[in-house]
Amino acid sequence: MTSGTAALQERRYRILVTGYAISSYGTFLNVVALSLYVYAVTDRALAVGVFMAVRLAAGFVAGLAAAAVLARWSAKGVMFWANVAQAAALLLLVLAPDGLRTGALFAVSAVVGASGTLFMVTLRSSIPDMVGEGRHTWANSLMVSGRSMAMVAGFASSGVVVSLLGYTAAFLVDMATFLVCALTVLLLPMPMGPARSDDGKDKDDKDSKGGQEEESADGSGRRRVPAALVALGAVPVLGLMVALRGIDALGSSSHNAALPVYSTELDADNPAVFVSVFWCVWALGNVLVQQVLQRYTKRTGRSVGALGFGLGTIAMSGTFILAFAGLPWAATVLVALLAGAADGLTEVSYTSHLQTLPSPLRTHAFGLSATVENLGFGVGMIVVAAALDVFTPLSVVGVAHGAAIVLALVYVARVLRGRGAAQVQEAQEAQEAQEVQEVQEAVPGSEEREGKNGEGESGAGPARGGHRDGAEVSGG
């Protein structure tokens, strides 16, 4: 790849991330505005919970269907229409008559949940094609930084927008952000139409069904293996990694639900102060760690990989527990900064790791991951909401994030064990190669005969750099 091509790819990706950050602002503004609007229209707290459940359920289904959708449509087309669909749903809500407002709200919830998940799965799985080899960490860091700043802006401005401009204006602002993102997608140098072709019809059919065929154990026929399971088996510890991501989502639901309760206990007159400060400092830590990761990758040519994900999860869960421990303000601000940094580290390392999979399996892996994350967060919101009526925020968050810490410790031990075994294997192979070389030097002409009789064999093994230990797949 020429430097001019790489620069063009980088510039267009930056434009896309800008559009994604703008739409993320709309998404987080949506979270507050739509929830408040549901309560205003229905006057029932249960309706707010059902609204969130519909959104998460739609995201869950979209994660399962993502691979089938991307087998038939181009990534550019999916990202474009995902944004257009969200904008159209919000316009429908604005134009809906009073008698249909409730139905329109839940339609918006389903469309936003499904379209948002499809967009994210497509974006994450397509980044290697957009930026080229070796640029995954930089691209993921830029994406996470944009979303973090958009989250703070969306949450911080939602109250002002709704209070001063009203719900209709808030929905129109949301709609505009999704249209801006759709326009930036159009600038990508990728095909817009269906991804299928006559040559790839059979392959796409197999991919869309979400499976691969393999011989049965008794040799009597072929059985279909779900492609998501193939993706999990393609890289060591990937299944455990996705499971940890799901438990981490459950932990995230705990601190998201507990923060308003805890901040009200701290200051009943101004409960929004603690929440606002916490998330602003969290976002600052997230953005700062992205700068560190980008410089580390540029200097070393490596990403933090699977081990960084495990250690980052432990640090993130630990700091979120400390955030509810009643520490002094200065200490809590430091904890929030570290929580944001650890959260950013886990996001980038996790995404970069999955992006090392081959393209078809990568899509299935990200789709499965989105499904697991939605499931973990959805179940967590239900369980946590019930638990907060009985237990303190610290105990609820401690149990949820404590479970993530326990699984993360198992995961880290598994990664280190795999890395140690790989190092032993590499040492044995190096020793064998040295012994062969000593024999060749001791016997004149043996090296030449070896080259004639076994030409090409010596370059195929790990001794020539073909080995990856599976723990640091993205390590380079």
Side-chain angles (χ1 to χ4, degrees), residues 201-251:
K201 183 175 180 181
D202 292 338
K203 176 182 180 298
D204 288 344
D205 285 342
K206 289 181 181 180
D207 286 344
S208 65
K209 292 176 183 176
Q212 294 185 7
E213 291 184 348
E214 65 177 26
E215 290 289 347
S216 60
D218 57 6
S220 59
R222 305 184 73 85
R223 60 186 176 89
R224 182 163 295 278
V225 179
L229 297 181
V230 175
L232 290 181
V235 178
V237 306
L238 187 58
L240 187 57
M241 197 176 198
V242 173
L244 178 55
R245 189 69 171 176
I247 298 299
D248 177 40
L250 188 149

Short mmCIF file of all heavy atoms in Angstrom, two decimals, residues 201-251:
data_model
loop_
_atom_site.label_atom_id
_atom_site.label_comp_id
_atom_site.label_asym_id
_atom_site.label_seq_id
_atom_site.Cartn_x
_atom_site.Cartn_y
_atom_site.Cartn_z
N LYS A 201 -22.26 -16.99 -4.78
CA LYS A 201 -23.61 -17.29 -4.32
C LYS A 201 -23.62 -18.42 -3.31
O LYS A 201 -24.25 -18.32 -2.26
CB LYS A 201 -24.49 -17.64 -5.52
CG LYS A 201 -25.94 -17.91 -5.12
CD LYS A 201 -26.80 -18.14 -6.36
CE LYS A 201 -28.26 -18.40 -5.95
NZ LYS A 201 -29.12 -18.65 -7.11
N ASP A 202 -22.94 -19.52 -3.63
CA ASP A 202 -22.95 -20.64 -2.71
C ASP A 202 -22.32 -20.28 -1.38
O ASP A 202 -22.78 -20.66 -0.31
CB ASP A 202 -22.20 -21.84 -3.32
CG ASP A 202 -22.96 -22.41 -4.52
OD1 ASP A 202 -24.19 -22.17 -4.58
OD2 ASP A 202 -22.32 -23.06 -5.36
N LYS A 203 -21.21 -19.53 -1.47
CA LYS A 203 -20.53 -19.12 -0.24
C LYS A 203 -21.42 -18.24 0.61
O LYS A 203 -21.53 -18.40 1.82
CB LYS A 203 -19.24 -18.38 -0.59
CG LYS A 203 -18.50 -17.83 0.63
CD LYS A 203 -17.28 -17.07 0.19
CE LYS A 203 -16.54 -16.51 1.38
NZ LYS A 203 -17.32 -15.57 2.16
N ASP A 204 -22.12 -17.30 -0.02
CA ASP A 204 -22.98 -16.41 0.73
C ASP A 204 -24.15 -17.16 1.35
O ASP A 204 -24.60 -16.84 2.44
CB ASP A 204 -23.52 -15.29 -0.17
CG ASP A 204 -22.43 -14.29 -0.52
OD1 ASP A 204 -21.40 -14.30 0.17
OD2 ASP A 204 -22.63 -13.50 -1.46
N ASP A 205 -24.66 -18.15 0.61
CA ASP A 205 -25.76 -18.94 1.15
C ASP A 205 -25.33 -19.63 2.44
O ASP A 205 -26.07 -19.70 3.41
CB ASP A 205 -26.23 -19.98 0.13
CG ASP A 205 -27.06 -19.34 -0.99
OD1 ASP A 205 -27.54 -18.21 -0.77
OD2 ASP A 205 -27.21 -19.96 -2.05
N LYS A 206 -24.11 -20.18 2.43
CA LYS A 206 -23.61 -20.85 3.62
C LYS A 206 -23.41 -19.86 4.76
O LYS A 206 -23.76 -20.12 5.90
CB LYS A 206 -22.28 -21.56 3.33
CG LYS A 206 -22.45 -22.79 2.45
CD LYS A 206 -21.10 -23.45 2.24
CE LYS A 206 -21.23 -24.69 1.34
NZ LYS A 206 -19.93 -25.35 1.12
N ASP A 207 -22.84 -18.68 4.42
CA ASP A 207 -22.59 -17.69 5.45
C ASP A 207 -23.89 -17.18 6.04
O ASP A 207 -24.02 -16.97 7.24
CB ASP A 207 -21.79 -16.51 4.89
CG ASP A 207 -20.33 -16.88 4.69
OD1 ASP A 207 -19.90 -17.90 5.26
OD2 ASP A 207 -19.64 -16.16 3.96
N SER A 208 -24.92 -16.96 5.17
CA SER A 208 -26.16 -16.40 5.66
C SER A 208 -26.89 -17.37 6.56
O SER A 208 -27.67 -16.98 7.43
CB SER A 208 -27.06 -16.01 4.48
OG SER A 208 -27.43 -17.16 3.75
N LYS A 209 -26.68 -18.65 6.34
CA LYS A 209 -27.30 -19.64 7.22
C LYS A 209 -26.53 -19.78 8.51
O LYS A 209 -26.95 -20.48 9.43
CB LYS A 209 -27.36 -20.99 6.50
CG LYS A 209 -28.33 -20.99 5.33
CD LYS A 209 -28.28 -22.31 4.59
CE LYS A 209 -29.20 -22.29 3.38
NZ LYS A 209 -29.10 -23.53 2.59
N GLY A 210 -25.37 -19.14 8.57
CA GLY A 210 -24.63 -19.10 9.82
C GLY A 210 -23.99 -20.40 10.19
O GLY A 210 -23.95 -20.79 11.34
N GLY A 211 -23.45 -21.13 9.22
CA GLY A 211 -22.82 -22.39 9.58
C GLY A 211 -21.86 -22.89 8.55
O GLY A 211 -21.78 -22.38 7.44
N GLN A 212 -21.10 -23.91 8.92
CA GLN A 212 -20.20 -24.59 8.02
C GLN A 212 -20.43 -26.08 8.17
O GLN A 212 -20.87 -26.56 9.22
CB GLN A 212 -18.75 -24.25 8.36
CG GLN A 212 -18.40 -22.79 8.10
CD GLN A 212 -16.93 -22.55 8.34
OE1 GLN A 212 -16.15 -23.47 8.57
NE2 GLN A 212 -16.55 -21.29 8.27
N GLU A 213 -20.15 -26.83 7.10
CA GLU A 213 -20.35 -28.26 7.14
C GLU A 213 -19.05 -28.97 7.45
O GLU A 213 -17.98 -28.54 7.03
CB GLU A 213 -20.90 -28.76 5.80
CG GLU A 213 -22.33 -28.31 5.54
CD GLU A 213 -22.87 -28.90 4.25
OE1 GLU A 213 -22.05 -29.45 3.48
OE2 GLU A 213 -24.08 -28.81 4.01
N GLU A 214 -19.15 -30.07 8.21
CA GLU A 214 -17.98 -30.89 8.46
C GLU A 214 -18.44 -32.35 8.56
O GLU A 214 -19.62 -32.64 8.78
CB GLU A 214 -17.27 -30.46 9.74
CG GLU A 214 -18.08 -30.66 10.98
CD GLU A 214 -17.29 -30.29 12.22
OE1 GLU A 214 -16.38 -29.47 12.11
OE2 GLU A 214 -17.61 -30.83 13.29
N GLU A 215 -17.53 -33.27 8.39
CA GLU A 215 -17.87 -34.69 8.45
C GLU A 215 -18.32 -35.06 9.87
O GLU A 215 -17.78 -34.59 10.86
CB GLU A 215 -16.64 -35.54 8.09
CG GLU A 215 -16.24 -35.46 6.62
CD GLU A 215 -17.23 -36.17 5.71
OE1 GLU A 215 -18.09 -36.93 6.22
OE2 GLU A 215 -17.16 -35.96 4.49
N SER A 216 -19.37 -35.87 9.94
CA SER A 216 -19.82 -36.36 11.24
C SER A 216 -18.82 -37.37 11.79
O SER A 216 -17.99 -37.90 11.06
CB SER A 216 -21.20 -37.01 11.11
OG SER A 216 -21.14 -38.09 10.22
N ALA A 217 -18.92 -37.64 13.08
CA ALA A 217 -17.93 -38.48 13.74
C ALA A 217 -17.90 -39.88 13.16
O ALA A 217 -16.84 -40.51 13.08
CB ALA A 217 -18.23 -38.54 15.25
N ASP A 218 -19.07 -40.41 12.76
CA ASP A 218 -19.09 -41.78 12.23
C ASP A 218 -18.89 -41.84 10.73
O ASP A 218 -18.93 -42.90 10.13
CB ASP A 218 -20.41 -42.46 12.61
CG ASP A 218 -21.62 -41.68 12.09
OD1 ASP A 218 -21.41 -40.69 11.36
OD2 ASP A 218 -22.77 -42.06 12.41
N GLY A 219 -18.69 -40.69 10.10
CA GLY A 219 -18.43 -40.66 8.67
C GLY A 219 -19.65 -40.90 7.82
O GLY A 219 -19.55 -41.05 6.60
N SER A 220 -20.84 -40.94 8.43
CA SER A 220 -22.05 -41.26 7.67
C SER A 220 -22.61 -40.07 6.91
O SER A 220 -23.44 -40.23 6.03
CB SER A 220 -23.12 -41.79 8.63
OG SER A 220 -23.41 -40.81 9.62
N GLY A 221 -22.21 -38.89 7.23
CA GLY A 221 -22.74 -37.73 6.53
C GLY A 221 -22.09 -36.46 7.02
O GLY A 221 -21.09 -36.49 7.71
N ARG A 222 -22.70 -35.33 6.66
CA ARG A 222 -22.16 -34.03 7.05
C ARG A 222 -23.15 -33.34 7.95
O ARG A 222 -24.37 -33.45 7.78
CB ARG A 222 -21.88 -33.17 5.80
CG ARG A 222 -21.00 -33.86 4.79
CD ARG A 222 -20.67 -32.94 3.63
NE ARG A 222 -19.72 -31.92 4.01
CZ ARG A 222 -18.41 -32.08 4.01
NH1 ARG A 222 -17.88 -33.23 3.67
NH2 ARG A 222 -17.61 -31.10 4.35
N ARG A 223 -22.64 -32.64 8.92
CA ARG A 223 -23.51 -31.91 9.84
C ARG A 223 -23.09 -30.44 9.85
O ARG A 223 -21.93 -30.11 9.62
CB ARG A 223 -23.43 -32.48 11.24
CG ARG A 223 -22.05 -32.47 11.86
CD ARG A 223 -22.05 -33.19 13.21
NE ARG A 223 -20.71 -33.28 13.77
CZ ARG A 223 -20.18 -32.34 14.56
NH1 ARG A 223 -20.87 -31.25 14.83
NH2 ARG A 223 -18.96 -32.49 15.05
N ARG A 224 -24.04 -29.60 10.10
CA ARG A 224 -23.78 -28.16 10.05
C ARG A 224 -23.34 -27.66 11.42
O ARG A 224 -23.98 -27.93 12.43
CB ARG A 224 -25.03 -27.41 9.61
CG ARG A 224 -24.83 -25.91 9.49
CD ARG A 224 -25.93 -25.28 8.67
NE ARG A 224 -25.87 -25.77 7.30
CZ ARG A 224 -25.06 -25.27 6.37
NH1 ARG A 224 -24.23 -24.30 6.68
NH2 ARG A 224 -25.09 -25.73 5.14
N VAL A 225 -22.23 -26.92 11.42
CA VAL A 225 -21.71 -26.33 12.65
C VAL A 225 -21.97 -24.83 12.59
O VAL A 225 -21.59 -24.18 11.61
CB VAL A 225 -20.20 -26.59 12.79
CG1 VAL A 225 -19.67 -25.94 14.06
CG2 VAL A 225 -19.92 -28.08 12.79
N PRO A 226 -22.64 -24.25 13.59
CA PRO A 226 -22.87 -22.81 13.57
C PRO A 226 -21.58 -22.03 13.40
O PRO A 226 -20.58 -22.32 14.07
CB PRO A 226 -23.52 -22.54 14.94
CG PRO A 226 -24.13 -23.84 15.33
CD PRO A 226 -23.20 -24.90 14.76
N ALA A 227 -21.62 -21.05 12.50
CA ALA A 227 -20.40 -20.29 12.21
C ALA A 227 -19.92 -19.52 13.43
O ALA A 227 -18.73 -19.27 13.59
CB ALA A 227 -20.64 -19.33 11.05
N ALA A 228 -20.84 -19.13 14.31
CA ALA A 228 -20.42 -18.44 15.53
C ALA A 228 -19.55 -19.34 16.39
O ALA A 228 -18.57 -18.89 16.99
CB ALA A 228 -21.64 -17.98 16.32
N LEU A 229 -19.89 -20.66 16.43
CA LEU A 229 -19.07 -21.59 17.19
C LEU A 229 -17.73 -21.82 16.51
O LEU A 229 -16.71 -22.01 17.17
CB LEU A 229 -19.81 -22.92 17.36
CG LEU A 229 -21.12 -22.86 18.16
CD1 LEU A 229 -21.73 -24.24 18.26
CD2 LEU A 229 -20.89 -22.26 19.54
N VAL A 230 -17.73 -21.80 15.18
CA VAL A 230 -16.47 -21.91 14.45
C VAL A 230 -15.57 -20.73 14.79
O VAL A 230 -14.36 -20.88 15.00
CB VAL A 230 -16.73 -21.97 12.93
CG1 VAL A 230 -15.41 -21.97 12.17
CG2 VAL A 230 -17.54 -23.22 12.58
N ALA A 231 -16.17 -19.54 14.87
CA ALA A 231 -15.39 -18.34 15.21
C ALA A 231 -14.80 -18.45 16.61
O ALA A 231 -13.65 -18.09 16.85
CB ALA A 231 -16.29 -17.10 15.12
N LEU A 232 -15.60 -18.98 17.55
CA LEU A 232 -15.10 -19.12 18.92
C LEU A 232 -13.95 -20.11 19.00
O LEU A 232 -13.05 -19.97 19.83
CB LEU A 232 -16.23 -19.57 19.85
CG LEU A 232 -17.33 -18.54 20.13
CD1 LEU A 232 -18.35 -19.12 21.09
CD2 LEU A 232 -16.75 -17.26 20.70
N GLY A 233 -14.00 -21.14 18.16
CA GLY A 233 -12.94 -22.13 18.18
C GLY A 233 -11.73 -21.77 17.35
O GLY A 233 -10.72 -22.48 17.37
N ALA A 234 -11.82 -20.66 16.60
CA ALA A 234 -10.73 -20.31 15.69
C ALA A 234 -9.52 -19.75 16.42
O ALA A 234 -8.40 -19.83 15.94
CB ALA A 234 -11.23 -19.29 14.66
N VAL A 235 -9.73 -19.16 17.57
CA VAL A 235 -8.64 -18.53 18.33
C VAL A 235 -8.71 -19.02 19.77
O VAL A 235 -9.79 -19.02 20.37
CB VAL A 235 -8.76 -16.99 18.30
CG1 VAL A 235 -7.65 -16.36 19.13
CG2 VAL A 235 -8.72 -16.47 16.87
N PRO A 236 -7.60 -19.44 20.35
CA PRO A 236 -7.61 -19.88 21.75
C PRO A 236 -8.17 -18.80 22.67
O PRO A 236 -7.96 -17.62 22.46
CB PRO A 236 -6.13 -20.15 22.03
CG PRO A 236 -5.54 -20.45 20.69
CD PRO A 236 -6.29 -19.59 19.71
N VAL A 237 -8.90 -19.22 23.69
CA VAL A 237 -9.51 -18.40 24.75
C VAL A 237 -10.56 -17.42 24.24
O VAL A 237 -11.07 -16.62 25.02
CB VAL A 237 -8.46 -17.62 25.59
CG1 VAL A 237 -7.41 -18.53 26.14
CG2 VAL A 237 -7.83 -16.48 24.81
N LEU A 238 -10.92 -17.47 22.95
CA LEU A 238 -11.89 -16.49 22.44
C LEU A 238 -13.26 -16.71 23.06
O LEU A 238 -13.98 -15.75 23.36
CB LEU A 238 -11.97 -16.58 20.91
CG LEU A 238 -12.82 -15.49 20.24
CD1 LEU A 238 -12.29 -14.12 20.59
CD2 LEU A 238 -12.85 -15.67 18.73
N GLY A 239 -13.66 -17.99 23.25
CA GLY A 239 -14.95 -18.26 23.88
C GLY A 239 -15.01 -17.70 25.28
O GLY A 239 -16.01 -17.07 25.68
N LEU A 240 -13.96 -17.89 26.05
CA LEU A 240 -13.89 -17.34 27.40
C LEU A 240 -13.87 -15.82 27.37
O LEU A 240 -14.43 -15.15 28.25
CB LEU A 240 -12.64 -17.88 28.11
CG LEU A 240 -12.49 -17.56 29.60
CD1 LEU A 240 -13.69 -18.06 30.39
CD2 LEU A 240 -11.19 -18.17 30.14
N MET A 241 -13.25 -15.28 26.35
CA MET A 241 -13.18 -13.83 26.19
C MET A 241 -14.57 -13.23 25.98
O MET A 241 -14.94 -12.22 26.60
CB MET A 241 -12.27 -13.51 25.00
CG MET A 241 -11.77 -12.08 24.93
SD MET A 241 -10.63 -11.91 23.52
CE MET A 241 -9.80 -10.39 23.96
N VAL A 242 -15.36 -13.85 25.10
CA VAL A 242 -16.72 -13.37 24.85
C VAL A 242 -17.58 -13.53 26.09
O VAL A 242 -18.40 -12.66 26.42
CB VAL A 242 -17.33 -14.12 23.65
CG1 VAL A 242 -18.80 -13.76 23.48
CG2 VAL A 242 -16.57 -13.78 22.36
N ALA A 243 -17.42 -14.65 26.81
CA ALA A 243 -18.17 -14.86 28.05
C ALA A 243 -17.83 -13.78 29.08
O ALA A 243 -18.73 -13.24 29.76
CB ALA A 243 -17.87 -16.24 28.63
N LEU A 244 -16.56 -13.43 29.18
CA LEU A 244 -16.14 -12.37 30.10
C LEU A 244 -16.75 -11.04 29.70
O LEU A 244 -17.14 -10.24 30.54
CB LEU A 244 -14.61 -12.28 30.14
CG LEU A 244 -14.01 -11.18 31.02
CD1 LEU A 244 -14.52 -11.29 32.45
CD2 LEU A 244 -12.48 -11.26 30.98
N ARG A 245 -16.85 -10.82 28.40
CA ARG A 245 -17.48 -9.58 27.91
C ARG A 245 -18.94 -9.51 28.34
O ARG A 245 -19.45 -8.44 28.68
CB ARG A 245 -17.36 -9.54 26.39
CG ARG A 245 -17.77 -8.22 25.77
CD ARG A 245 -16.80 -7.12 26.10
NE ARG A 245 -17.09 -5.93 25.31
CZ ARG A 245 -16.46 -4.78 25.44
NH1 ARG A 245 -15.48 -4.67 26.31
NH2 ARG A 245 -16.78 -3.74 24.70
N GLY A 246 -19.63 -10.65 28.32
CA GLY A 246 -21.01 -10.68 28.77
C GLY A 246 -21.16 -10.39 30.25
O GLY A 246 -22.05 -9.63 30.67
N ILE A 247 -20.29 -10.97 31.08
CA ILE A 247 -20.32 -10.70 32.52
C ILE A 247 -19.94 -9.25 32.79
O ILE A 247 -20.49 -8.60 33.70
CB ILE A 247 -19.36 -11.65 33.26
CG1 ILE A 247 -19.80 -13.11 33.06
CG2 ILE A 247 -19.32 -11.32 34.75
CD1 ILE A 247 -21.19 -13.40 33.60
N ASP A 248 -19.02 -8.73 32.00
CA ASP A 248 -18.64 -7.32 32.12
C ASP A 248 -19.84 -6.42 31.82
O ASP A 248 -20.04 -5.39 32.47
CB ASP A 248 -17.48 -7.03 31.16
CG ASP A 248 -17.09 -5.57 31.18
OD1 ASP A 248 -17.08 -4.99 32.27
OD2 ASP A 248 -16.78 -5.02 30.11
N ALA A 249 -20.67 -6.80 30.83
CA ALA A 249 -21.88 -6.03 30.52
C ALA A 249 -22.85 -6.06 31.70
O ALA A 249 -23.51 -5.06 32.00
CB ALA A 249 -22.54 -6.59 29.27
N LEU A 250 -22.94 -7.20 32.37
CA LEU A 250 -23.78 -7.28 33.57
C LEU A 250 -23.25 -6.34 34.65
O LEU A 250 -24.02 -5.64 35.31
CB LEU A 250 -23.81 -8.72 34.08
CG LEU A 250 -24.79 -9.05 35.22
CD1 LEU A 250 -25.28 -10.49 35.11
CD2 LEU A 250 -24.14 -8.84 36.59
N GLY A 251 -21.93 -6.31 34.81
CA GLY A 251 -21.34 -5.37 35.76
C GLY A 251 -21.63 -3.93 35.38
O GLY A 251 -21.92 -3.08 36.25
#
